[in-house]
Amino acid sequence: MAKKSMIEREKKRERLVAKYAAKREALKEIINDQSKPMEERFRATLKLAELPRNSSPTRLHNRCQLTGRPHAYYRKLKVSRIMLRELGSNGQVPGLVKSSW
């Protein structure tokens, strides 16, 4: 059950990133514009800090869509190595043949 909650948490982060992307970009442009007065740039920095932490794209992690595992993630299939092996053994991944000797 904990694994499903991590998947849901990651989806919530993705929604927040999409929601605040334009606002974050506008604030960062103000902060990086050296022609703006120092006070205005400082106010933009404070406004950026007030946004939710999870609205930052760096907080996103690639996670397995089935288990929520963040490590050994295959981007093309969106699953972890463990689930890829299990699905391959069951014949559920087209074109994948699991060898054993």
Side-chain angles (χ1 to χ4, degrees):
M1 191 67 177
K3 293 174 185 163
K4 286 290 182 187
S5 65
M6 283 307 300
I7 295 170
E8 293 303 316
R9 192 180 307 175
E10 197 66 27
K11 287 179 183 176
K12 182 180 178 183
R13 285 183 185 140
E14 289 173 8
R15 287 192 301 269
L16 281 172
V17 167
K19 179 179 178 181
Y20 288 100
K23 192 170 193 175
R24 291 181 73 85
E25 187 61 36
L27 289 171
K28 285 184 179 185
E29 283 181 20
I30 294 171
I31 293 167
N32 293 327
D33 188 0
Q34 295 296 320
S35 65
K36 302 266 185 193
M38 181 66 105
E39 294 81 23
E40 186 177 346
R41 292 186 312 179
F42 186 68
R43 269 186 261 122
T45 305
L46 292 177
K47 284 185 181 179
L48 184 65
E50 288 174 0
L51 294 179
R53 279 188 180 174
N54 284 335
S55 69
S56 173
T58 58
R59 304 268 296 191
L60 294 176
H61 292 271
N62 290 329
R63 288 189 176 272
C64 175
Q65 297 292 307
L66 302 174
T67 62
R69 180 182 166 84
H71 300 290
Y73 173 83
Y74 287 86
R75 290 181 185 183
K76 197 169 189 176
L77 302 171
K78 298 187 177 184
V79 294
S80 67
R81 66 176 176 84
I82 296 169
M83 288 310 297
L84 178 64
R85 181 183 170 101
E86 189 173 314
L87 293 172
S89 294
N90 295 337
Q92 295 177 336
V93 180
L96 181 74
V97 178
K98 184 194 163 293
S99 298
S100 59
W101 56 91

